[in-house]
């Protein structure tokens, strides 16, 4: 049976139990950071293999953190990692994953129809009080939420974390015209409990960071395609000339060339016609499509513009 959501002193929901759908690069990171902050977290994905991948991503990250915390004490390192995993469960059953959940964060493939299909299914399964959120990079929160009931849309928000989640302090919180203020308040409180700095922005393409970052990444890929410079020299130039920690091609590999391609396609299909995005910014790029079609998705598949194996 579902216990009523506890509330903060202000009356806003107190989020203590989180379900993450999609345990990939981002979902695993979000689940890890929430579990580290003491929440009970369930990760749901499509297969045991995908869940194994989630656990591996989290183990690798926690081990790095544990070694920094207790460099000479392997017992303390193991205790730290085991302690976080004690807050984490993984399942391929959506029903099991959302039972007793205060908040569901979706971090599945960057495709509007797929996200809508998942939320449509969950809306009929989750407790009426459960808050729904999407970690989408670029899609409209309003459009993702439109498949949910009136009451659920009042408890629907964008919660956009950054890669790698354990390291990046920013989370963008995106409300729609229907999101209730106490839901936004609950999410801002959760961000702070997870050691993150939240910002709020309108439900526009790419919110703040990606509106500026994605056109830059796509233009860098066009630069490679035109032969203006090599991927390595473009990255070196931006690190030494603009002070970024990763060059745009390494960062594209890090984000995932598949995800970047999904973002560009989503804007081409949804946001050019509304006049929000300039068609030239998201024109198809042959070299990007070719890499993705060859399964070269970047760091997560071992190869993209650079080789990681
Ligand atoms: N888990 C735990 N610790 C991690 C980690 C992880 N996944 N990744 C890095 N770290 C830690 C390392 O242990 C290291 O710690 P110390 O400095 O204390 O030793 C520190 O972070 C630095 O890591 P590295 O030494 O490996 O290398 P780095 O200095 O280059 O840092 C990085 C790695 C933090 C990823 C850095 O390169 C960086 O900030 N890159 C840019 C990332 C970025 O721009 N992200 C946003 C992408 S856009 C997005 O996410 C939105 C979207 O929708 C697409
Ligand atoms: P990913 O490919 O690493 O992981 C996606 C996961 O979702 C996979 O494990 C896949 O099995 C699972 N999945 C797909 N369809 C599913 C479904 N119907 N039900 C349950 N699980 C499903 O992708 P990612 O990089 O983690 O991106 C996930 C989301 O986060 C996307 O919306 C992306 O735009 C966004 N995002 C990505 C980044 C980044 O840098 N990669 C940063 C911020 C936000």
């Amino acid at each position: 049976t579902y216990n009523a959501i506890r509330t903060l002193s202000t009356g806003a929901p107190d989020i203590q139990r989180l379900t993450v759908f999609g345990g990939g690069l981002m979902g695993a990171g979000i689940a890890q950071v929430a579990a580290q902050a003491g929440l009970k977290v369930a990760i749901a994905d499509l297969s045991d293999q995908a869940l194994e991948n989630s656990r591996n991503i989290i183990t690798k990250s926690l081990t790095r953190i544990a070694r920094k915390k207790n460099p000479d004490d392997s017992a303390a390192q193991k205790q730290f990692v085991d302690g976080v995993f004690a807050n984490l469960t993984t399942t391929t059953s959506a029903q099991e994953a959302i039972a007793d959940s205060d908040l569901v964060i979706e971090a599945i493939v960057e495709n509007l129809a797929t996200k809508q299909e998942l939320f449509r299914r969950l809306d009929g399964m989750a407790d009426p009080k459960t808050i729904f959120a999407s970690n989408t990079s670029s899609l409209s929160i309003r459009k993702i939420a439109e498949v949910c009931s009136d009451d659920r849309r009042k408890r629907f928000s964008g919660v956009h974390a950054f890669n790698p989640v354990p390291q990046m302090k920013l989370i963008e919180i995106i409300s729609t015209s229907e999101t209730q203020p106490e839901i936004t308040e609950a999410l801002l409180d959760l961000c702070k409990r997870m050691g993150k700095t939240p910002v709020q922005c309108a439900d526009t393409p790419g919110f703040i960071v990606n509106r500026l970052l994605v056109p830059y990444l796509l233009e860098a890929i066009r630069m490679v395609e035109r032969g203006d410079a090599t991927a390595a020299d473009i990255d070196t130039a931006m690190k030494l000339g603009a002070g970024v920690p990763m060059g745009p091609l390494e960062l594209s590999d890090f984000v995932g060339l598949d995800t970047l391609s999904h973002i560009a396609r989503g804007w081409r299909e949804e946001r050019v016609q509304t006049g929000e995005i300039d068609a030239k910014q998201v024109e198809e790029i042959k070299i990007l499509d070719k890499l993705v079609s060859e399964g070269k998705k970047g760091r997560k598949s071992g190869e993209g513009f650079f080789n990681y194996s």
Side-chain angles (χ1 to χ4, degrees), residues 51-157:
L51 292 172
E52 182 66 23
N53 179 49
S54 307
R55 287 192 292 270
N56 291 341
I57 292 173
I58 295 171
T59 301
K60 197 162 149 250
S61 174
L62 287 176
T63 304
R64 287 178 88 164
I65 295 169
R67 284 192 183 134
K68 270 193 295 190
K69 271 172 152 358
N70 304 290
D72 309 318
D73 183 344
S74 54
Q77 290 171 20
K78 183 176 181 322
Q79 191 181 11
F80 170 75
V81 175
D82 292 349
V84 178
F85 269 104
N87 287 338
L88 272 167
T89 56
T90 58
T91 177
T92 54
S93 154
Q95 187 71 55
E96 188 186 311
I98 56 168
D100 278 359
S101 189
D102 299 319
L103 169 64
V104 169
I105 297 183
E106 165 274 313
I108 71 172
V109 62
E110 184 70 346
N111 175 280
L112 180 61
T114 311
K115 290 182 187 295
Q116 287 179 325
E117 176 46 37
L118 176 67
F119 279 118
R120 185 184 290 112
R121 193 155 64 91
L122 295 181
D123 196 20
M125 296 161 79
D127 187 279
K129 287 202 179 69
T130 302
I131 300 164
F132 281 9
S134 173
N135 183 55
T136 181
S137 300
S138 64
L139 298 168
S140 159
I141 303 299
R142 180 188 61 76
K143 285 204 65 93
I144 296 172
E146 72 183 12
V147 297
C148 292
S149 65
D150 294 2
D151 283 345
R152 189 75 70 190
R153 291 201 307 274
K154 292 173 182 162
R155 307 175 75 78
F156 202 112
S157 176

Side-chain angles (χ1 to χ4, degrees), residues 211-288:
R211 186 64 171 271
L212 303 172
L213 186 73
V214 168
Y216 151 65
L217 296 181
L218 294 174
E219 191 50 34
I221 296 171
R222 287 192 193 92
M223 214 176 252
V224 175
E225 184 157 82
R226 290 194 301 262
D228 298 358
T230 64
D233 279 353
I234 293 167
D235 277 8
T236 301
M238 287 309 289
K239 282 192 279 190
L240 301 186
V244 292
M246 273 181 177
L249 285 313
E250 182 187 11
L251 184 54
S252 298
D253 277 352
F254 193 68
V255 162
L257 300 182
D258 53 339
T259 293
L260 199 53
S261 178
H262 287 312
I263 293 170
R265 181 182 313 117
W267 282 0
R268 262 196 311 276
E269 290 167 0
E270 302 277 334
R271 314 308 275 269
V272 168
Q273 66 199 22
T274 59
E276 294 168 294
I277 291 287
D278 173 358
K280 275 197 74 55
Q281 281 186 310
V282 287
E283 264 170 6
E284 287 202 67
I285 309 173
K286 288 190 184 60
I287 191 171
L288 178 60

